[in-house]
Amino acid sequence: MKSFTTFILTSPVKLAVWAILSISFLNYSCSDPATVGLELAPGNNQIGVFFEEFELPTQVVLLDSFNTTNQSLLIAGEEVDPFFGKTSGVGYSRMYIEVTEDRPSREAFLDSVFFNIDVVSVNGENLDKPKYYSIHQLTQPILDTLYYNFSELSYESAPFAAGEIVFDEVKDTTVALPVNEDFAIEMFGKLQRGREFNDLFSFREYFPGFAIKARKGDNTTIGVNLGFQTNFTFYYHLTGDTVSSNYQITTASSRSFNGVKSDRSGTPTGIVQIPGKNYDVGPVVGLKSNLGMVLKVDTSPMDPFLDTLRGVTFNQVNFEIGEIEEQIETQTPPSSMVIYFTDASNTILTRSSDKQPLTLQTDGQPQTDLDANGNVQPAVRAPAVIRFSPDKEIYIVPIASYFGALYRKEITRKDWLLYGNSPQSVGDDFKRSFRQFNVNQENIKVKVIYSKIR
């Protein structure tokens, strides 16, 4: 039987006296529904204000066909975690040349070559210690197709550029890694006079792209932004020059994807083997980005609670997760999540009229709208965002409008998939890091404040 915490406030004092009022736990499923939320002064014809909270059982799902193509951010990381196990991320990308740009002449002398990586995020531990990253030439091309987080390509075992980085407090920096001398000389020769740089197709046939990877044991992950700042830079001069000129090969307009390997053996998530299936992993559940592990929330406890109510108004309803389990300061959880509707398929449900994904809508916004034929359908324009509060270590989102629509039977209750992204994000943040969190299921709750008139 599900337990609810109940507080009752009368209209003249409302929430101002909430802190001094309490009523012991009620088990509504064992009580007469008419007695749920007893009033302080029966018969006074005042508005009663009631507070209740209840838990939502939660499991984990490994999303099927988790597409990581063209996220504009490469993930390179090696992490070990007692809940999620060992996770490795390798970023793969093509490169781009501007064929109209002047190439170094045959008379040019090579000074140096660097491979620059534009690091825009860092998550991990011991960031005051050196972290090692290596860049490897692909031995097979990146095709014009979709790639998933389980995809991988072969690459040279020896890197053409590598180096250690001490991040410390810096999470946003461009790092220049020296390129292997033999590799640099060979590529500069092609750049000066080879057909390999005549056009983009010839270049990609010569240089299919690169993979960036981290060192095992570093327990740190970086996000590398693709564009003009992640590049080869060739410095060269002509006889008599006092300063070097440069030529760049960039990652602008370049196809990319992130591959992930996960060994969860011996951990609570070790039983999670089949994508698209929900698993009970025990009292603690968790979400991990780029691995594609999400939370499936069973919303069925809402039904018996709503069935007990008659003639009520929902003043405030919050869905809360947390406090989450403690993490080191330099391991940041996802900043936000979206609530997608799902069912036994454990996939994101879509609207029949236009195949838009179904999401819980922002508080204060309509939960339904009309299709082209005037039929009522679920709204999709304003997805609610669950935001993380670092001070309180909780995720929270208001859902009173959603609760009201359920109560009035304007929409049908569905289970939820919690996905670590925000509709306001450029790109999909859930595919751009290894951010994660764990939480005890007893801290996944709905908290309701409602009123009714006798």
Side-chain angles (χ1 to χ4, degrees):
M1 294 182 289
K2 182 65 64 176
S3 296
F4 291 81
T5 304
T6 305
F7 298 94
I8 309 108
L9 306 176
T10 56
S11 180
V13 291
K14 294 277 186 175
L15 302 181
V17 298
W18 185 7
I20 62 172
L21 298 175
S22 66
I23 294 200
S24 61
F25 285 100
L26 297 178
N27 189 315
Y28 85 92
S29 60
C30 299
S31 306
D32 181 347
T35 67
V36 174
L38 299 175
E39 296 183 45
L40 290 180
N44 63 7
N45 292 321
Q46 292 181 319
I47 299 175
V49 180
F50 309 91
F51 169 76
E52 302 212 30
E53 66 177 41
F54 51 91
E55 300 170 15
L56 297 182
T58 302
Q59 297 183 325
V60 302
V61 174
L62 195 62
L63 293 179
D64 197 7
S65 300
F66 193 64
N67 177 10
T68 62
T69 310
N70 287 349
Q71 293 303 314
S72 74
L73 204 71
L74 298 183
I75 303 304
E78 290 282 345
E79 298 187 357
V80 179
D81 179 88
F83 187 82
F84 296 104
K86 299 176 182 178
T87 309
S88 302
V90 177
Y92 303 84
S93 180
R94 292 172 176 169
M95 299 198 76
Y96 174 80
I97 59 170
E98 180 54 68
V99 295
T100 61
E101 186 176 348
D102 290 337
R103 292 157 59 176
S105 69
R106 291 174 180 268
E107 291 74 30
F109 296 93
L110 179 63
D111 295 327
S112 59
V113 184
F114 291 92
F115 193 89
N116 301 301
I117 55 174
D118 183 19
V119 179
V120 294
S121 64
V122 182
N123 275 281
E125 61 182 35
N126 300 321
L127 298 185
D128 57 340
K129 302 292 190 299
K131 308 298 180 181
Y132 178 86
Y133 296 91
S134 55
I135 318 295
H136 304 253
Q137 180 176 334
L138 296 182
T139 56
Q140 62 183 118
I142 296 177
L143 304 176
D144 293 329
T145 186
L146 296 180
Y147 289 91
Y148 301 90
N149 62 343
F150 54 78
S151 301
E152 60 182 321
L153 296 175
S154 61
Y155 50 82
E156 299 282 357
S157 58
F160 62 77
E164 291 186 325
I165 309 168
V166 178
F167 293 107
D168 208 0
E169 300 297 324
V170 177
K171 305 293 181 67
D172 190 344
T173 182
T174 299
V175 179
L177 301 176
V179 173
N180 174 276
E181 183 178 3
D182 291 340
F183 184 94
I185 292 173
E186 189 265 341
M187 183 175 272
F188 186 70
K190 302 289 188 183
L191 175 59
Q192 285 178 294
R193 53 188 175 271
R195 66 170 185 81
E196 292 84 356
F197 283 80
N198 287 347
D199 58 73
L200 186 57
F201 296 104
S202 297
F203 169 71
R204 286 179 175 163
E205 183 179 354
Y206 162 65
F207 185 81
F210 69 91
I212 179 170
K213 57 183 298 187
R215 177 172 60 190
K216 290 183 179 179
D218 280 354
N219 218 26
T220 297
T221 299
I222 60 172
V224 176
N225 191 44
L226 296 181
F228 291 102
Q229 301 303 311
T230 295
N231 60 50
F232 278 112
T233 299
F234 293 80
Y235 295 96
Y236 63 93
H237 72 277
L238 298 172
T239 302
D241 286 348
T242 57
V243 295
S244 292
S245 299
N246 71 76
Y247 180 93
Q248 292 186 340
I249 304 171
T250 75
T251 52
S253 304
S254 296
R255 195 170 191 81
S256 64
F257 72 95
N258 292 309
V260 179
K261 290 186 177 180
S262 174
D263 179 4
R264 298 182 294 277
S265 56
T267 72
T269 55
I271 64 171
V272 183
Q273 297 292 328
I274 303 173
K277 180 181 177 180
N278 51 293
Y279 288 88
D280 181 355
V281 295
V284 175
V285 294
L287 172 150
K288 189 172 180 71
S289 304
N290 221 48
L291 178 60
M293 187 171 289
V294 299
L295 298 179
K296 181 179 183 180
V297 179
D298 176 4
T299 62
S300 61
M302 295 178 183
D303 288 341
F305 168 67
L306 291 172
D307 288 346
T308 66
L309 304 179
R310 298 292 183 272
V312 303
T313 298
F314 296 103
N315 304 326
Q316 178 178 300
V317 184
N318 287 337
F319 174 57
E320 296 185 9
I321 301 175
E323 300 178 355
I324 64 171
E325 296 202 340
E326 186 176 3
Q327 297 185 141
I328 59 175
E329 185 179 354
T330 50
Q331 182 68 269
T332 308
S335 60
S336 57
M337 292 183 287
V338 175
I339 301 173
Y340 288 103
F341 293 147
T342 191
D343 56 17
S345 70
N346 295 325
T347 60
I348 295 172
L349 302 180
T350 58
R351 197 162 66 171
S352 58
S353 63
D354 53 14
K355 304 306 178 184
Q356 289 293 309
L358 294 178
T359 53
L360 191 151
Q361 298 295 286
T362 299
D363 220 24
Q365 296 295 316
Q367 304 296 300
T368 61
D369 58 24
L370 302 178
D371 65 16
N373 298 316
N375 300 313
V376 177
Q377 62 180 357
V380 297
R381 292 184 178 180
V385 179
I386 311 174
R387 301 194 185 279
F388 183 64
S389 171
D391 295 337
K392 297 180 180 180
E393 296 290 315
I394 67 170
Y395 288 91
I396 186 168
V397 61
I399 59 170
S401 297
Y402 168 76
F403 243 59
L406 281 180
Y407 176 67
R408 296 187 296 272
K409 301 188 184 305
E410 296 172 357
I411 58 176
T412 302
R413 179 191 59 77
K414 299 290 185 183
D415 289 336
W416 300 344
L417 286 180
L418 306 188
Y419 188 95
N421 190 33
S422 167
Q424 290 78 40
S425 297
V426 178
D428 188 337
D429 284 344
F430 200 55
K431 300 174 180 179
R432 294 157 59 93
S433 75
F434 278 153
R435 290 189 178 191
Q436 65 185 51
F437 72 85
N438 300 345
V439 64
N440 196 298
Q441 286 196 60
E442 66 182 15
N443 292 328
I444 301 176
K445 297 181 178 181
V446 172
K447 297 183 178 182
V448 187
I449 299 173
Y450 65 96
S451 302
K452 66 178 180 179
I453 301 175
R454 286 183 59 89

